[in-house]
Amino acid sequence: MKPAAAAAIVFLGGCASFTTMGTATTIEKGSVQAFVAPEAEMVGSETGKPGTLPQLEAGLRYGLTERVEIGSKVWGLGAGLDSKIQLLRSVSRDSGIDLAIDPGLSYVNVGLAGLVPTTRVVSFYLPVLVGMNFEGGHQLVGGARLVEQIAWSEGGQVPSTRQILWSGASLGFAFKISDGFRLMPEVAVALPLVNTALDGSDAKSMRGTFFLQGGLALLFGG
């Protein structure tokens, strides 16, 4: 793998998680849901052919109220917090549409000797999730999101401070195996909208850059 491709994978791939790995329905008040999700990421840019990176996510969710849940998750190079808020819930879990927002934030510390300077990244997420319910308790979950990142770099020939705004979408299907267990394959894609250097230096072009992430979540409880 070329150094440019490795740098893109470690920096972009480690900076955010664009998958939801959950439904568009908040879990019941007082209940807990855990999940683990083996994943793969692909990052492409105009500087070289796309590179891939395996990843593992794991997290916990807690039903704070009937319409609000809070959660946390960790993955290869980062950790995050989120809060799912139910805007619309169907009467039946076997039909109808559910709608929720899932705002969150994450922190990552990235570095790879000789390839990527030490970089700290704070990301702010605003996903909108739509769930279509099917008989048996299954749910098709579509999402659209904006992700705002602020990155601080130390060393290397890159801007020391920059802001990146991503737009993205995701699609997954939560198969209800039992009351306490679901399988959910999901794929997400993201494209950069804005790349701005905040310290007055020139930000490198991200033209042609894309981020693709996919995985299979095992959801326990909830």
Side-chain angles (χ1 to χ4, degrees), residues 20 39-40 57 67 69 78 95 98 109 132 137 144 149 167 193:
T20 301
E39 299 176 333
E57 286 193 15
R67 289 184 174 266
E69 73 177 42
S95 63
D98 289 356
N109 193 330
M132 181 179 295
Q149 293 184 327
S167 65
L193 296 178

Side-chain angles (χ1 to χ4, degrees), residues 54-204:
Q55 179 168 281
L56 183 67
E57 286 193 15
L60 288 172
R61 300 179 177 116
Y62 176 74
L64 196 61
T65 72
E66 292 299 333
R67 289 184 174 266
V68 177
E69 73 177 42
I70 55 176
S72 63
K73 65 178 180 178
V74 295
W75 63 95
L77 297 170
L81 300 171
D82 71 288
S83 176
K84 186 182 298 178
I85 301 168
Q86 193 81 66
L87 302 180
L88 176 67
R89 177 178 289 173
S90 62
V91 176
S92 171
R93 295 292 180 93
D94 295 324
S95 63
I97 300 294
D98 289 356
L99 177 67
I101 58 174
D102 191 16
L105 60 88
S106 68
Y107 174 77
V108 174
N109 193 330
V110 186
L112 186 60
L115 293 177
V116 181
T118 299
T119 304
R120 297 173 178 84
V121 184
V122 176
S123 301
F124 301 91
Y125 304 82
L126 185 57
V128 178
L129 305 176
V130 179
M132 181 179 295
N133 299 309
F134 294 89
E135 185 176 354
H138 313 303
Q139 187 180 87
L140 177 67
V141 185
R145 71 203 65 215
L146 291 175
V147 179
E148 172 82 358
Q149 293 184 327
I150 305 296
W152 298 267
S153 298
E154 300 175 0
Q157 302 300 314
V158 296
S160 59
T161 306
R162 58 175 164 158
Q163 173 255 342
I164 305 173
L165 177 64
W166 298 81
S167 65
S170 61
L171 185 66
F173 196 92
F175 293 92
K176 182 179 178 182
I177 308 302
S178 68
D179 286 341
F181 180 61
R182 287 173 170 81
L183 285 176
M184 184 174 181
E186 184 180 10
V187 63
V189 63
L191 301 172
L193 296 178
V194 178
N195 178 33
T196 305
L198 301 181
D199 58 356
S201 58
D202 293 329
K204 292 184 177 181

